[in-house]
């Protein structure tokens, strides 16, 4: 099985990617959080930093683009090609209201004719590998049939399916039945994404879909960076490795972010997920969330490491 690292805006930029890659199981591909091209400019400095080859040494990275304008996609992809990229990914899954109302991300799935024209233009203009990361539709899984007919007209590098619809956001369960049907009917290679948080989830998935060769993991890694290694048969990392990972992240964020508050914000955000890795973590995570200074944050993390263990049943659990 090939394992891909899902793009996660605000979290899995190059700093996170490098820290992960230097300590945990190397992934077959890492997808960048989306680049949203503006009409006047190709990449802003955050986007440029994220894809610079010197910031992504030793990893196979696929930049993701979020747009519904073929000319913006083409211009951005050509820019990425100048940096050495041969593969790009189109975001057809982002469920956020502001994105969807502009008919981008999952919103583009509701504009089938425009989407087909977009893909025709992009494939005509680019000599690059193009993959799609898609949901099933806006409201119903049935929307995917006609979408797949469109996707089948193009030679995609791969079709990565997160089998939810836009209105699900991250609620409900991924629709495995719809995924199975899509996999059967797709003329392009298919990869699966969605709610693989533990080894048990993975085994359940791979016994239901033995022919699926690629799984993309997202929140499962944020909650347990040892998950890909576990799936590859490696031992679960101990507290030492997790600690080293957090120290490296904090140090690298300190180097690139302008002030302590930004570093603190980044580190605190991670604990929404990482709390799931430790036994009895609630009260520590509460303290972490309340920390106003990095030193308070560090103290809360130290006491968690001192007093708690990695939980037997570690794995992402949505809160609330
Ligand atoms: C905080 C966050 C940011 C995300 N940003 C992106 C993104 O930039 N591009 C994208 O295609 N998907 C994005 N996603 C969706 C994930 O890539 C993935 O499809 C989703 O989390 C389901 O996979 P999982 O259940 O393994 O987490 C994001 C998800 C989260 C939770």
């Amino acid at each position: 099985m090939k394992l891909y690292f899902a793009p996660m805006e605000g979290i899995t930029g190059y700093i996170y990617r490098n820290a992960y890659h230097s300590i945990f199981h190397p992934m077959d591909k890492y997808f960048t959080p989306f680049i949203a091209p503006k009409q006047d400019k190709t990449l802003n400095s955050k986007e440029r930093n994220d894809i610079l080859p010197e910031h992504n040494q030793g990893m196979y990275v696929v930049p993701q683009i979020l747009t519904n304008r073929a000319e913006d996609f083409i211009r951005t992809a050509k820019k990425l090609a100048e940096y050495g990229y041969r593969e790009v990914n189109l975001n057809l899954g982002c469920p956020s209201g502001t994105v969807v109302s502009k008919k981008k991300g999952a919103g583009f799935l509701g504009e089938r004719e425009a989407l087909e024209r977009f893909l025709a233009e992009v494939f005509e203009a680019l000599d690059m590998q193009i993959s799609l990361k898609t949901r099933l539709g806006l409201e119903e899984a049935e929307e995917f049939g006609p979408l797949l007919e469109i996707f089948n007209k193009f030679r995609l590098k791969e079709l990565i399916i997160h089998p939810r619809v836009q209105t699900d956001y991250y609620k409900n369960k991924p629709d495995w039945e719809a995924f199975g049907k899509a996999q059967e009917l797709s003329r392009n290679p298919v990869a699966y994404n969605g709610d693989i948080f533990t080894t048990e989830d993975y085994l359940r998935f791979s016994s239901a879909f033995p022919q699926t060769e690629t799984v993309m993991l997202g929140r499962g890694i944020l909650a347990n960076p040892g998950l890909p290694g576990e799936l590859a048969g490696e031992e679960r990392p101990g507290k030492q490795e997790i600690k080293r990972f957090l120290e490296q992240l904090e140090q690298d964020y300190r180097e690139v972010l302008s002030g302590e508050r930004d570093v603190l914000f980044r580190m605190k955000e991670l604990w929404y997920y990482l709390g799931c890795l430790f036994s009895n973590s609630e009260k520590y995570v509460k303290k972490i969330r309340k920390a106003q200074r990095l030193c308070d944050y560090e103290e809360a993390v130290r006491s968690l490491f001192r007093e708690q263990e990695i939980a037997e049943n570690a794995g992402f659990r949505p809160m609330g």
Side-chain angles (χ1 to χ4, degrees):
M1 184 79 83
K2 278 187 285 182
L3 295 176
Y4 291 176
F5 206 134
M8 283 177 283
E9 219 283 311
I11 304 176
T12 61
Y14 75 100
I15 299 280
Y16 187 100
R17 212 153 51 230
N18 278 282
Y20 171 87
H21 187 76
S22 69
I23 294 173
F24 301 109
H25 184 78
M27 301 295 276
D28 293 288
K29 290 186 184 179
Y30 295 83
F31 288 73
T32 71
F34 64 76
I35 293 168
K38 303 278 177 312
Q39 283 170 34
D40 52 336
K41 207 172 163 207
T42 313
L43 299 174
N44 63 32
S45 69
K46 178 175 161 231
E47 292 166 344
R48 186 170 166 275
N49 269 317
D50 202 34
I51 59 89
L52 276 179
E54 55 266 41
H55 289 167
N56 291 286
Q57 297 283 310
M59 293 177 268
Y60 188 93
V61 171
V62 181
Q64 185 189 64
I65 304 172
L66 173 82
T67 184
N68 59 10
R69 286 167 47 97
E71 58 184 279
D72 290 349
F73 189 94
I74 293 163
R75 194 184 61 247
T76 307
K78 285 186 172 165
K79 191 73 188 165
L80 291 163
E82 285 172 22
Y83 286 101
Y85 291 95
R86 292 285 163 264
E87 180 178 348
V88 286
N89 177 266
L90 171 68
N91 180 324
L92 291 174
C94 182
S96 130
T98 49
V99 168
V100 170
S101 67
K102 294 183 200 139
K103 316 283 185 207
K104 296 179 190 171
F108 207 1
L109 299 175
E111 307 289 313
R112 287 200 285 265
E113 282 170 22
L115 178 57
E116 183 167 349
R117 272 198 309 276
F118 171 100
L119 290 172
E121 261 185 69
V122 159
F123 273 83
E124 173 70 29
L126 291 175
D127 184 22
M128 291 174 86
Q129 297 176 328
I130 298 164
S131 63
L132 310 181
K133 180 166 178 283
T134 187
R135 289 193 179 227
L136 295 172
L138 283 170
E139 289 176 0
E140 295 174 354
E142 287 65 35
E143 294 167 40
F144 203 64
L147 285 165
L148 192 57
E149 280 178 28
I150 296 173
F151 299 154
N152 277 343
K153 293 182 185 173
F154 300 94
R155 198 185 169 126
L156 306 176
K157 175 66 179 166
E158 54 204 348
L159 178 64
I160 304 161
I161 303 177
H162 177 53
R164 283 187 166 97
V165 292
Q166 183 268 329
T167 48
D168 284 331
Y169 290 88
Y170 294 100
K171 297 188 300 276
N172 306 325
K173 290 244 162 299
D175 184 340
W176 282 15
E177 197 184 322
F179 175 77
K181 222 188 269 173
Q183 179 163 261
E184 213 174 282
L185 296 174
S186 176
R187 294 177 55 197
N188 291 297
V190 164
Y192 174 81
N193 168 239
D195 292 27
I196 304 291
F197 300 145
T198 61
T199 302
E200 291 71 45
D201 293 338
Y202 176 78
L203 293 177
R204 213 172 325 115
F205 176 81
S206 52
S207 68
F209 298 99
Q211 67 279 42
T212 306
E213 288 174 0
T214 308
V215 168
M216 173 183 268
L217 304 170
R219 294 164 295 168
I221 304 182
L222 301 185
N224 174 13
L227 178 65
E230 283 175 35
L231 303 187
E234 295 162 16
E235 222 168 272
R236 177 171 284 195
K239 284 198 275 188
Q240 272 315 315
E241 278 131 312
I242 303 294
K243 204 164 164 196
R244 197 147 58 83
F245 173 60
L246 287 169
E247 284 167 1
Q248 186 174 330
L249 271 178
E250 187 177 329
Q251 187 186 331
D252 293 349
Y253 281 136
R254 273 180 193 272
E255 273 172 31
V256 301
L257 297 175
S258 52
E260 202 184 284
R261 289 201 70 80
D262 290 354
V263 179
L264 179 63
F265 177 83
R266 288 300 183 107
M267 298 308 295
K268 279 163 75 164
E269 201 178 14
L270 281 182
W271 283 93
Y272 171 73
Y273 301 95
L274 265 183
C276 307
L277 186 57
F278 291 88
S279 54
N280 309 309
S281 61
E282 296 79 6
K283 78 169 195 206
Y284 304 86
V285 172
K286 212 180 249 175
K287 260 204 185 136
I288 288 171
R289 215 180 296 139
K290 282 194 178 151
Q292 294 291 327
R293 295 174 308 171
L294 260 178
C295 57
D296 303 328
Y297 158 83
E298 284 165 2
E299 180 48 40
V301 171
R302 266 198 300 275
S303 58
L304 171 62
F305 273 88
R306 210 169 37 234
E307 294 157 24
Q308 298 298 330
E309 299 303 325
I310 291 189
E312 267 306 309
N313 59 349
F316 178 66
R317 282 178 301 279
M319 279 195 262

